[in-house]
Amino acid sequence: MDIFVQQIINGLVLGSMYALVALGYTMVYGIISLINFAHGEVLMVGAMVSWSVVTALADSGLPGW
């Protein structure tokens, strides 16, 4: 049951990330009628920074990977 709850939380977090990027696309397109694809790059930079922090702190004993 614990795995099921964790997978529900993982799905909600991933879905909210997708929704946030889609909301950014929609707002920019609604205002200037052009699609700005820089949102994906910002999301990828955030993912790479968080991955770097997690791997740098892996040996510190903090919970995580």
Side-chain angles (χ1 to χ4, degrees):
M1 188 65 178
D2 293 336
I3 295 174
F4 179 71
V5 172
Q6 184 63 46
Q7 290 300 321
I8 293 291
I9 292 170
N10 290 342
L12 289 173
V13 168
L14 187 60
S16 65
M17 295 282 284
Y18 289 155
L20 189 62
V21 172
L23 182 65
Y25 282 139
T26 303
M27 289 177 62
V28 169
Y29 182 74
I31 293 171
I32 62 173
S33 298
L34 291 172
I35 295 179
N36 184 4
F37 290 107
H39 288 92
E41 294 174 9
V42 171
L43 183 68
M44 183 56 66
V45 167
M48 291 187 67
V49 167
S50 65
W51 177 259
S52 299
V53 168
V54 166
T55 55
L57 295 176
D59 294 332
S60 67
L62 294 174
W65 294 310

